[in-house]
Structure formats: structure tokens, C-alpha cells
């Protein structure tokens, strides 16, 4: 391989925005992606097969702690955008102001970011649903309406397709644009480390060989980016990992609600940003897994019971933080997360409110996803079922990972307000790691706008 | 403004000797704008014990006072004699009993008995005074309980109030007995019991602990605001079966509550000790949240063994946010709380002074 103007590590939303903008500016760009390329639609969405082919470690990654938090990272061309739900939110002015204040970030107010949000929305064709809510969403909307709680059917980067909506993933949009503008994509190639010497990066090391480049932009996601920097000898603590700890509930209704190929896009935002309630992927295999682990007897039930079952979640903004540490000799970093007492209280409250809502929506029985959980059928069961979710029994997960390399001018920060690594002149980070905190909304839209803002600065050369 | 139904000729009040009970009776006798459409017809009052009668008559000399246990059907039969078309305000309950089983006996059993007797007497509407304790604590300082919330009772008292509220709402039967629930948080204002006086005394002495940062928030309700809420719940049409938070216009940070009480006491001529601890609010001292957690654990343990210790219970709640959103109550009942913390606390302090209740040494050396 020859020398490049820019090597981008990772082809997720952050990397794809970076690659496209650099290629369009006429730079020679190489995108190095560890995962394989899977055409959108080639494997069923939200399926176990997708987990095997498009997720890191088949989706079985865990942040150690009490309780542990299972998290998922995509590993494929397009990164998380290929597998995710496609839900889009604009960040609020308050959120960006708080980040600007707490991390001394330059030019990160809503007016600074707004033009880039517009660019992202246009390219991804972000749009609301036309027509009726599907049953799993309608149940949430009905519950919220009955309780007087605010919610919305969240816009998506999905266009109506034959059958199911077509998500505007990176391979369909930004990554395709990048390739069209001349960028190269190397899939199945893992960057083991960066070649850093005397405050400059010379290139990336793949399978023992260095690919040289004028600049390197790391966009490997909030867990892999800090780990890669650590492996490359850049001093990075890996602290600050922020997620949205999430607890789930399987709900059963009298009527069919489950559309295995899609998920509920409605979110209850009455308690936002602290707490969001919504719907999860509910493939029969996932439901079977959830139920069999918890001893919900399916024996003697109609075989198609899953059609009446749907998984819902309560996700919180967490005060706890995690840490990413790469360990010499091991491929994957060790990830830990410390859930605070307040986090656990908020999760219990979220779980109770979610169950209250689902009962109001007409669910006939509920099974919360923690070890030894009781089945909930009436309002009186809600309190004991929420209270019984202790640290030792909780089974939490998160799909939103941020915070490991927060942008800003704070002393001791690894990167500046634009994602540039302070100690290495020609090295940048441009992905979800930069978000100083888990935002309380689905993060991809926000991180893409910030990635646009950063790469614009990089290209103008005043970064 | 929501529609008001016809006022009832007779109001029957249980828990008449309590804090709210006497404030309600006072409003009967001397209604003010802040009390809303408080009924002015006849009032029949149930006292839990003979010792309460004087206090009841002080608040409302014209009240017809009955004495007896609210779970006793015979007592209730007399209380509800000829009560057809009446309004019942059910405020009897125990908060700090000696034994935990009193919660179920009085708060649940009493409510059930009152519902039953009210129904057979042909009472038109029953207003039940519930509590924030049925809903536990808020998970963050900025969280607010909404009109619709899952019950998450805080220990024995909370569980009994949750059970009672559920029964009251389920008992709603349009055309026969309508039921409406009001949910007040922590009270303040005239007619206060000894435990509130202790609170004032501790603040004056600089000994009231503000747990943790003091940023935890508390909804409070001045008793006259609660009277307005209950009066509206008794009168507004088409709210049967529903429940309403009745609190002051906004929740207050704990540190503000303690500071306000200290300032009002000083204003009113009491000597208020300044706390010596650094970072403390005037009239209070900061204590690590750990102390509250320890107290909470001990409280749980004791309650699980049937014992109840008031100080421990109160201490265990001190680092928590307990705050509600009254938007729905404003909308549906037309509720507009008129009394605010400083003014209301001043009224309470003056009420104590008028009755010769000692709170702290007087600044002028008088007694
Ligand atoms: C199941 C799921 C549902 C989600 N739903 C939503 C949603 O509805 N809305 C929303 O906004 N967000 C959602 N998210 C989150 C969103 O997908 C992520 O925030 C986003 O993908 C992060 O982008 P990124 O560029 O930081 O990293 P990623 O998307 O994680 O991309 C990083 C890429 O880098 C590659 N890589 C890592 N290390 C190396 C290496 N050493 N060498 C080469 N390549 C490497 C990885 O294989 C990966 O492809 C969801 C996530 C998941 C998993």
C-alpha cells in the first residue's frame, strides 16, 4: 500500500463523515475497517445472524462491575449505523451548553452545530413516519396517552422501502459518497497500533505492516479508540466511559404486537433527559432467550406466543463512569463500569414507570430482565418487582457508548475542542468518544454533526 | 375554571383533631380566599380521642364533635347518621405510631370502614387524604412525581397509604359514591403538631441536619393550600375516581427550607444559633448523606420487626428528594396555591408564639 494524505481508522458514522469530507476535498483517503462488508438487508435486521456477522465478539461484550453492563459494538463496514435502530434526535441547546461549560469546549453551542445537523439530516433523509404506528409503538403511545406522559414517534434515517423501511446506513450514504469521491476502503483489516514517534504519527500498523499517512483520524468507536491510542503509547487514561444503562421488560399483550423485522420507534420523553422509555428489538430468538433464562414457562402455550410479546426498555443518563484499559497480549481491552447508587435508584424508578405504562397500555403480563424477577400482572406488583432489582440481580445493557476522549480545553484532556490529539501533531479522534457524556438521546446524529464540524476545521488547516 | 357542583349541606370530617383536620375546621369557621370553595354548611367531626375535642372546638366552635375509633363500625354509623348527600373528608390516619401494625389497622382498615359506611349512608362524595409516601422518593433532585405514577411505597406508612388510595379509587362509583384522592406532601402552617415544633426548635438551635448537599428538593404544602385543594376535590364536577397532588406552587431545596425557617425565626424575635460547621446553611448543619443512609437501614430493620421509631424514620428520609408536579391539579381542579414558604412559616411561628409554645430563647430576653 502506498502513502495517503489521511488514514481513517474505522468506518462507522464518525469515520464515514471524516472520509467523505476529506475525499471530497481532494485528499487521498484510506479507510481501514476491521469488520467485513455486509450489504444492507443481506442479513435479517436485529437477528442473531446479524450479531454473529456484524458485531464485535458476536455482541457478547461486557463492562465489568457490580452490576456488569453488557454493551454492544458493531464491527463491520459502516459501524454501528448498519445494525442500529436509526433513531434520530437533535441535541438540545442545554445539553451542548452544559458540555461547553463543563469541558471548556469552543464553538459547540447549538447555533455552531446546527448547520451540520442540517447536512446530516439531508443526507440521511431523516424523516418522521407517514401513516399509522405499528402495534409495538402504538402500545407505548397508548400507555403514554393514558398516563398523560409526553412522548413521540422518533424520526429515523429510513426511507419507505418495499416491505420494511430502508435505513440510511453509512454504506448506503456517507461511506458510499466517500468511495465515490475516491476514498479507498480496506475491510477485514484491523489497525493494531499507530506508528507514533516524537509527537507525530507516521501511519497505522495493519498485520505487522505500516501504512504511512500525512494524518491519521481515529474513529474506532468509544471503546476501541482509546484502546488503540493506549496500544500506541499515547497516554490515555480510558476513564470517562459514559453509557445509557438500560433495563428491559418483556411485555405480553392479548393481541399481536411483534414485528420481528422492525422495532418500536416511539419513545416516552416525559422524564427526559434523565430517563427514556422505548422499544427494543424483539426477534423471537431474543424473546425466547429472555424468557427461558427467567423461567417464564412457554410450555403448553401456543407456539406463536412471541407474536404477542415485545421487549421494552428504560434507559437512563448515568452519573457513573467506566474505564477502558488495553492489556498487553490481549486483543480486547478490559472495560469496567461503576454504576452509582443514584443510577440504580433511577433505573428502579425507570423500571417501575415502564411497567406502569405497559400495564396502562393493556399488557397482560410483564417480565423484567433481571435475575429471579417476578412476573408482574397488576399495579400492585410493580413496586416489589422494581425494588427487587438489586445490584447483584440487575442485568443491564447499553448500546450507546461515549465519553472516553471528551473534547474540550480542560487541563489533562487528551484532545482539544476539535478532536485533535494534543501531544501528537497530526493525529485526530473523530467519533463517539468525543461526546463528553452520554447525552440522554440516541447519539449518532449528534456525533455526526460534531464530526462534520471537526473535519471542516481539520481541512481548513487551522485546527 | 372547572365546574363546581352544588355545595353539600353537611360535611363529615375524620381525623378532625389532626393538623389538616383543624386547619380545615378553621377554614369552615372563618373562610378566606386562599381556602377556595370550602363548605360553610354544617360540619360533623370525628376525634380519635377525647383529648382532641378542645383543639377541635378551638378551631371551629360550631362543629358537632364525635369521639371514637375510625375502624369501629358503631362509631361510624353514628357519625354518618343522616349523612345522605353529604361530603366526607377522610383525613384520619396514623403517621408515627408506636407499632407498625397500626398502619394497616388504621390507615387501611379505617379507610375501608369509612368507605363502607359512607356508601350505605348515601354520601355523595368522599375526599381521601393520601400521601406522597405511597410513591417513595424521586430518583433525582429534578425529578417530579407526575399525576400518574406507580405506587412505590416507602416502608410501612407508605404501603398503608398506597393500599388505602388504591381502595378509595377503586370504590368510585358514579351516581352512588364518588371518590377523589388528594395527595399532600410534607405539611407546614398553623395547627402544627409537636414534631413540627421540634423541627423549629432544632433549626433555631442550629442542630437540624441538612443531609448531603442540601440540593435535595421537597414539595411542601401549607395547610391552607391543602384546604383549598381538598375543598376543590369536594366540589369540582367530573373528577370522581381521580387523584391529585396538592402542594405549594414549587418544591423547595432542603437547604432553602431550613434557611427560611431560621430567617423567619430570627425575624420574629427568636435567637437563632449559627451553626459552626463550615459550608453550613444558617440554622442547619451539613451532615454526610451516609448518616441518613444508616438511619434508613436501621428504620427498615426495626419496621421489619414491627417497631417504629419516629426520629429514625424522619432522619432516614432527609437526604431524599420528594417532589411532585401539580400541573394536572391546577388544570383539572383549578387549584391555585396562595401561600408560599416564607409567609406560611411565619404564620406557623406566630401561631406557636400566640399559644405560648416555646421554640427558642427570645432575642429581647423575654420569655
Ligand atoms: C444495537 C444498536 C442500536 C443503536 N441504535 C441507535 C439509534 O437508533 N440511534 C442512534 O443515534 N444511535 C444508535 N446506536 C448507537 C450508534 O450506532 C453509535 O453511537 C455510533 O455507531 C457510533 O459511531 P462511531 O463512529 O463512534 O463508532 P462505531 O459505529 O462503533 O464504528 C467504529 C468502527 O470502527 C471499527 N474499528 C474498531 N477498532 C478498529 C481497529 N482497530 N481497526 C480497524 N477498525 C476498527 C469497528 O469495526 C467499527 O466498524 C445504536 C447502537 C447499537 C449497537
Amino acid at each position: 500500500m502506498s502513502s495517503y494524505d489521511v488514514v481513517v481508522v474505522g468506518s462507522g458514522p464518525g469515520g464515514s463523515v471524516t472520509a467523505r469530507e476529506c475525499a471530497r476535498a481532494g485528499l487521498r483517503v484510506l479507510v481501514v475497517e476491521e469488520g467485513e462488508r455486509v450489504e444492507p438487508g443481506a442479513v435479517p435486521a436485529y437477528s442473531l445472524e446479524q450479531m454473529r456477522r456484524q458485531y464485535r465478539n458476536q455482541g457478547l461484550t461486557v463492562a465489568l462491575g457490580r452490576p456488569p453492563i453488557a454493551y454492544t459494538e458493531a464491527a463491520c463496514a459502516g459501524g454501528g449505523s448498519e445494525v442500529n435502530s436509526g433513531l434520530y434526535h437533535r441535541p438540545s441547546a442545554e445539553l451542548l451548553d452544559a458540555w461547553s461549560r463543563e469541558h471548556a469546549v469552543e464553538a459547540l453551542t447549538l447555533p455552531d452545530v446546527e448547520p451540520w445537523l442540517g447536512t446530516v439530516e439531508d443526507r440521511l433523509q431523516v424523516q418522521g413516519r407517514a401513516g399509522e404506528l405499528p402495534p409495538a409503538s402504538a402500545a407505548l403511545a397508548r400507555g403514554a396517552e393514558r398516563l398523560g406522559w409526553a412522548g413521540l414517534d422518533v424520526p429515523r434515517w429510513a426511507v419507505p422501502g418495499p416491505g420494511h423501511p430502508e435505513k440510511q446506513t453509512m454504506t448506503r450514504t456517507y461511506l458510499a459518497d466517500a468511495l465515490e469521491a475516491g476514498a479507498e476502503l480496506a475491510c477485514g483489516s484491523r489497525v493494531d497500533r499507530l506508528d507514533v514517534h516524537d509527537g507525530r504519527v507516521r501511519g497505522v500498523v495493519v498485520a505487522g505492516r505500516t501504512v504511512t499517512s500525512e494524518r491519521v483520524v481515529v474513529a474506532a468507536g468509544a471503546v476501541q479508540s482509546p484502546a488503540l491510542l493506549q496500544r500506541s503509547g499515547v497516554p490515555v487514561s480510558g476513564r470517562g466511559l459514559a453509557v445509557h444503562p438500560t433495563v428491559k421488560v418483556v411485555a405480553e399483550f392479548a393481541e399481536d404486537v411483534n414485528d420481528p423485522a422492525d422495532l418500536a420507534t416511539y419513545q416516552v420523553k416525559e422524564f427526559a433527559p434523565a430517563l427514556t422509555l422505548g422499544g427494543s428489538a424483539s426477534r423471537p430468538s431474543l424473546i425466547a432467550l429472555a424468557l427461558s433464562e427467567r423461567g417464564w414457562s412457554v410450555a403448553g402455550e401456543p407456539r406463536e406466543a412471541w407474536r404477542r410479546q415485545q421487549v421494552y426498555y428504560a434507559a437512563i443518563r448515568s452519573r457513573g463512569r467506566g474505564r477502558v484499559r488495553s492489556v498487553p497480549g490481549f486483543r480486547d481491552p478490559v472495560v469496567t463500569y461503576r454504576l452509582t447508587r443514584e443510577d440504580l435508584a433511577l433505573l428502579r424508578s425507570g423500571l417501575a414507570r415502564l411497567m406502569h405504562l405497559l400495564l396502562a397500555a393493556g399488557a397482560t403480563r410483564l417480565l423484567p430482565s433481571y435475575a429471579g424477577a417476578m412476573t408482574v400482572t397488576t399495579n400492585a406488583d410493580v413496586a416489589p418487582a422494581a425494588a427487587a432489582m438489586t445490584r447483584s440481580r440487575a442485568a443491564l445493557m447499553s448500546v450507546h457508548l461515549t465519553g472516553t476522549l471528551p473534547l474540550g480545553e480542560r487541563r489533562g484532556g487528551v484532545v482539544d475542542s476539535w478532536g485533535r490529539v494534543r501531544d501528537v501533531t497530526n493525529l485526530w479522534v473523530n467519533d463517539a468518544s468525543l461526546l463528553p457524556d452520554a447525552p440522554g438521546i440516541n447519539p449518532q446524529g449528534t456525533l455526526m454533526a460534531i464530526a462534520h464540524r471537526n473535519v471542516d476545521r481539520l481541512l481548513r488547516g487551522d485546527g | 375554571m372547572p365546574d363546581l357542583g352544588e355545595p353539600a349541606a353537611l360535611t363529615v370530617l375524620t381525623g378532625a383533631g389532626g393538623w389538616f383536620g383543624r386547619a380545615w375546621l378553621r377554614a369552615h369557621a372563618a373562610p378566606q380566599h386562599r381556602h377556595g370553595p370550602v363548605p360553610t354548611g354544617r360540619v360533623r367531626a370525628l376525634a380519635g380521642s377525647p383529648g382532641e375535642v378542645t383543639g377541635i372546638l378551638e378551631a371551629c366552635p360550631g362543629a358537632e364533635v364525635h369521639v371514637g375509633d375510625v375502624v369501629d363500625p358503631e362509631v361510624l354509623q353514628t357519625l354518618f347518621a343522616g349523612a345522605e348527600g353529604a361530603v366526607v373528608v377522610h383525613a384520619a390516619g396514623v403517621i408515627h405510631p408506636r407499632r407498625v401494625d397500626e398502619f394497616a389497622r388504621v390507615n387501611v382498615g379505617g379507610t375501608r370502614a369509612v368507605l363502607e359506611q359512607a356508601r350505605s349512608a348515601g354520601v355523595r362524595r368522599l375526599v381521601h387524604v393520601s400521601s406522597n409516601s405511597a410513591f417513595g422518593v424521586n430518583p433525582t433532585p429534578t425529578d417530579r412525581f407526575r399525576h400518574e405514577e406507580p405506587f412505590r411505597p416507602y416502608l410501612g406508612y407508605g404501603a398503608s397509604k398506597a393500599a388505602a388510595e388504591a381502595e378509595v379509587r377503586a370504590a368510585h362509583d358514579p351516581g352512588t359514591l364518588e371518590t377523589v384522592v388528594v395527595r399532600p406532601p410534607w405539611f407546614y402552617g398553623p395547627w402544627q403538631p409537636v414534631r413540627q415544633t421540634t423541627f423549629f426548635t432544632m433549626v433555631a438551635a442550629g442542630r437540624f441536619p441538612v443531609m448531603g448537599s442540601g440540593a435535595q428538593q421537597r414539595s411542601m404544602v401549607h395547610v391552607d393550600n391543602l384546604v383549598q385543594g381538598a375543598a376543590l376535590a369536594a366540589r369540582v364536577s367530573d373528577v370522581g375516581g381521580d387523584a391529585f397532588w396538592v402542594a405549594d406552587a414549587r418544591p423547595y431545596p432542603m437547604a432553602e427550607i431550613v434557611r427560611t425557617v431560621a430567617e423567619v425565626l430570627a425575624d420574629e424575635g427568636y435567637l437563632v444559633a449559627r451553626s459552626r460547621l463550615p459550608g453550613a446553611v444558617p440554622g442547619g448543619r451539613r451532615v454526610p448523606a451516609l448518616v441518613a443512609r444508616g438511619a434508613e437501614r436501621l428504620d427498615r430493620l426495626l419496621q421489619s420487626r414491627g417497631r417504629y421509631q419516629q426520629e429514625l424514620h424522619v432522619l432516614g428520609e432527609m437526604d431524599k428528594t420528594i417532589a411532585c408536579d401539580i400541573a394536572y391539579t391546577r388544570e383539572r381542579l383549578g387549584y391555585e396555591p396562595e401561600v408560599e414558604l416564607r409567609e406560611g412559616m411565619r404564620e406557623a411561628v406566630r401561631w406557636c408564639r400566640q399559644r405560648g409554645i416555646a421554640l427558642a430563647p427570645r432575642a429581647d430576653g423575654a420569655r
Side-chain angles (χ1 to χ4, degrees):
Chain A
M1 289 188 244
S2 53
S3 185
Y4 292 88
D5 294 322
V6 182
V7 166
V8 180
V9 184
S11 64
S16 290
V17 168
T18 310
R20 177 180 103 156
E21 295 306 302
C22 289
R24 284 188 173 177
L27 301 182
R28 276 171 49 84
V29 177
L30 172 69
V31 182
V32 186
E33 168 56 55
E34 183 173 351
E36 58 172 308
R37 183 177 176 131
V38 178
E39 289 314 310
V43 297
Y46 319 114
S47 64
L48 292 178
E49 187 187 352
Q50 180 166 70
M51 293 182 90
R52 276 193 294 275
R53 289 184 59 187
Q54 292 183 283
Y55 281 70
R56 183 172 302 276
N57 295 336
Q58 313 189 7
L60 300 173
T61 33
V62 116
L64 304 175
R66 221 175 143 251
I69 300 180
Y71 65 90
T72 46
E73 289 173 281
C76 59
S81 76
E82 306 300 313
V83 302
N84 71 23
S85 326
L87 302 181
Y88 177 85
H89 288 277
R90 278 192 165 209
S92 68
E94 296 77 55
L95 175 74
L96 294 173
D97 290 348
W99 283 352
S100 304
R101 208 170 44 241
E102 287 157 21
H103 290 263
V105 194
E106 292 169 11
L108 193 72
T109 65
L110 189 54
D112 293 317
V113 177
E114 225 156 17
W116 303 120
L117 289 166
T119 307
V120 170
E121 287 159 15
D122 287 348
R123 182 61 186 104
L124 299 188
Q125 295 176 266
V126 171
Q127 53 194 280
R129 178 191 306 276
E132 255 175 56
L133 291 179
S137 277
L140 281 172
R142 185 167 66 237
E145 155 110 44
R146 289 189 181 152
L147 300 181
W149 291 355
L152 78 164
D153 191 44
V154 181
R156 289 214 276 183
W157 45 82
V159 299
H164 284 99
E166 277 182 3
K167 274 186 301 172
Q168 297 304 293
T169 66
M170 290 303 110
T171 55
R172 278 192 170 121
T173 59
Y174 275 82
L175 193 55
D177 297 346
L179 300 184
E180 199 179 291
E184 295 168 39
L185 171 64
C187 284
S189 307
R190 171 182 153 101
V191 173
D192 289 318
R193 59 182 180 84
L194 310 174
D195 189 350
V196 180
H197 270 286
D198 300 329
R200 283 190 67 81
V201 58
R202 292 201 300 219
V204 301
V205 180
V206 179
R209 296 186 29 206
T210 300
V211 182
T212 56
S213 179
E214 290 294 315
R215 308 171 191 80
V216 172
V217 180
V218 174
V223 167
Q224 301 302 325
S225 286
L228 176 58
L229 294 185
Q230 287 168 347
R231 291 199 299 270
S232 311
V234 180
V236 165
S237 74
R239 289 183 203 277
L241 175 68
V243 308
H244 292 143
T246 300
V247 55
K248 293 187 174 181
V249 171
V250 180
E252 186 169 272
F253 292 83
E255 69 283 353
D256 288 357
V257 285
N258 194 333
D259 174 355
D262 208 358
L263 44 72
T265 49
Y266 192 91
Q267 286 180 348
V268 176
K269 283 290 188 184
E270 176 73 21
F271 308 97
L275 172 65
T276 299
L277 313 178
S280 290
S282 299
R283 286 257 170 208
S285 50
L286 294 174
I287 290 199
L289 203 66
L291 297 186
S292 65
E293 275 176 6
R294 314 287 172 222
W296 228 15
S297 155
V298 266
E301 292 198 2
R303 285 192 32 228
E304 301 272 274
W306 64 266
R307 290 189 188 283
R308 295 181 286 106
Q309 295 164 343
Q310 171 76 25
V311 184
Y312 294 96
Y313 68 83
I316 66 160
R317 282 194 89 182
S318 163
R319 294 221 235 156
R321 284 292 179 273
R323 187 168 185 188
V324 175
R325 269 171 289 195
S326 68
V327 183
F330 287 85
R331 199 179 159 86
D332 287 321
V334 172
V335 179
T336 51
Y337 198 88
R338 274 190 58 173
L339 196 77
T340 68
R341 174 187 306 275
E342 292 82 0
D343 291 342
L344 192 62
L346 185 52
L347 278 163
R348 285 202 196 102
S349 162
L351 175 61
R353 282 168 167 166
L354 175 62
M355 293 191 287
H356 191 62
L357 177 118
L358 291 169
L359 290 174
T364 49
R365 62 173 181 169
L366 306 172
L367 187 69
S369 69
Y370 62 81
M374 62 190 269
T375 298
V376 168
T377 54
T378 71
N379 285 310
D381 299 335
V382 168
M389 185 175 69
T390 56
R391 264 186 201 280
S392 52
R393 298 166 93 189
L396 306 178
M397 53 87 62
S398 178
V399 295
H400 299 157
L401 313 169
T402 64
T404 42
L405 296 160
L407 36 68
E409 306 300 324
R410 270 208 333 200
R411 278 250 308 256
V414 176
V415 302
D416 69 7
S417 292
W418 310 90
R420 180 194 200 125
V421 177
R422 285 179 203 288
D423 296 339
V424 187
T425 331
N426 52 346
L427 179 60
W428 283 261
V429 174
N430 211 17
D431 63 11
S433 320
L434 299 179
L435 307 191
D437 191 1
I441 53 173
N442 305 73
Q444 189 187 307
T446 306
L447 86 88
M448 286 183 75
I450 291 176
H452 259 298
R453 159 192 176 273
N454 297 348
V455 71
D456 179 65
R457 174 89 164 196
L458 183 158
L459 288 170
R460 283 195 279 116
D462 46 14
Chain B
M1 261 311 272
D3 279 351
L4 295 188
E6 284 298 302
L10 171 69
T11 307
V12 181
L13 173 70
T14 71
W19 196 346
F20 164 75
R22 285 188 294 161
W24 171 272
L25 288 170
R26 184 47 160 192
H28 250 279
Q32 299 175 44
H33 188 268
R34 56 162 73 169
H35 296 131
V38 70
T40 47
R42 282 185 302 133
V43 60
R44 207 177 272 170
L46 178 64
S49 71
E52 293 173 3
V53 176
T54 334
I56 289 173
L57 291 175
E58 181 200 343
C60 181
E64 172 190 329
V65 186
H66 294 224
V67 179
D69 194 332
V70 69
V71 303
D72 183 341
E74 276 176 32
V75 167
L76 293 179
Q77 262 158 30
T78 333
L79 186 71
F80 288 128
E84 197 172 339
V87 157
V88 173
V89 178
H90 175 47
V94 289
I95 304 182
H96 299 294
R98 227 168 270 136
R99 295 215 36 102
V100 174
D101 41 20
E102 280 291 283
F103 287 136
R105 194 186 74 86
V106 178
N107 296 351
V108 187
T111 300
R112 203 170 289 157
V114 166
L115 281 169
E116 213 161 282
Q117 295 297 330
R119 199 180 296 114
S120 44
V123 163
R124 186 192 344 152
R125 184 177 283 191
L126 177 138
V127 175
H128 171 76
V129 182
S130 185
S131 162
N132 62 273
S133 289
F135 299 90
V137 300
N138 300 82
T140 69
T142 51
D143 190 80
R144 300 287 174 263
F145 291 130
R146 304 306 204 268
H147 163 246
E148 275 286 359
E149 280 289 337
F151 286 126
R152 300 188 65 212
Y154 189 65
L155 298 182
Y157 176 67
S160 69
K161 292 306 269 188
E165 179 177 322
E167 292 211 18
V168 170
R169 294 186 73 177
H172 171 65
D173 186 1
T176 50
L177 176 66
E178 298 180 349
T179 65
V180 184
V181 172
V182 291
R183 300 172 183 148
W186 185 10
F187 294 14
Y188 67 105
W191 314 98
Q192 68 183 43
V194 177
R195 62 175 185 276
Q196 187 80 347
T197 304
T198 310
F199 169 53
F200 285 1
T201 319
M202 288 177 78
V203 171
R207 286 193 299 111
F208 187 80
V210 174
M211 297 290 169
S213 68
Q216 65 272 30
Q217 306 223 349
R218 282 306 176 94
S219 278
M220 295 191 78
V221 65
H222 185 278
V223 277
D224 283 345
N225 290 338
L226 178 55
V227 167
Q228 185 197 122
L232 287 163
R235 278 287 293 282
V236 173
S237 313
D238 297 329
V239 293
D242 216 339
F244 299 94
W245 290 107
V246 179
D248 286 7
R250 64 178 174 100
Y252 310 104
M254 196 65 204
E256 180 187 340
I257 297 172
V258 174
R259 193 184 339 108
T260 304
V261 170
E263 286 168 5
V264 165
L265 284 167
D267 265 12
E268 294 295 311
Y270 292 92
L271 271 180
V272 176
R274 189 160 303 172
S275 170
R276 270 139 302 180
L277 292 178
V281 289
R285 50 180 199 170
R286 291 266 165 86
V287 174
L290 214 63
V291 177
R293 254 175 256 148
E296 185 191 342
R297 277 210 195 111
L298 210 56
D299 185 18
R300 271 182 205 285
L301 183 76
L302 284 182
Q303 289 209 25
S304 73
R305 297 187 177 167
R307 300 230 311 279
Y308 184 88
Q309 233 269 339
Q310 179 179 329
E311 288 73 20
L312 213 54
H313 181 77
V314 171
L315 198 62
E317 268 190 336
M318 274 303 149
D319 65 334
K320 311 285 197 307
T321 289
I322 301 177
C324 58
D325 180 341
I326 60 167
Y328 184 81
T329 311
R330 287 179 183 273
E331 182 193 317
R332 295 283 288 139
L333 294 185
Y335 170 67
E336 280 304 329
E338 292 183 14
V339 192
E340 224 248 348
L341 187 65
R342 184 171 299 271
E343 173 197 349
M345 285 295 183
R346 192 181 305 283
E347 291 174 7
V349 168
R350 290 188 176 165
W351 182 88
C352 290
R353 177 137 170 81
Q354 275 162 21
R355 274 155 189 76
I357 300 169
L359 298 173
R362 302 286 303 168
D364 58 10
R367 295 234 39 156

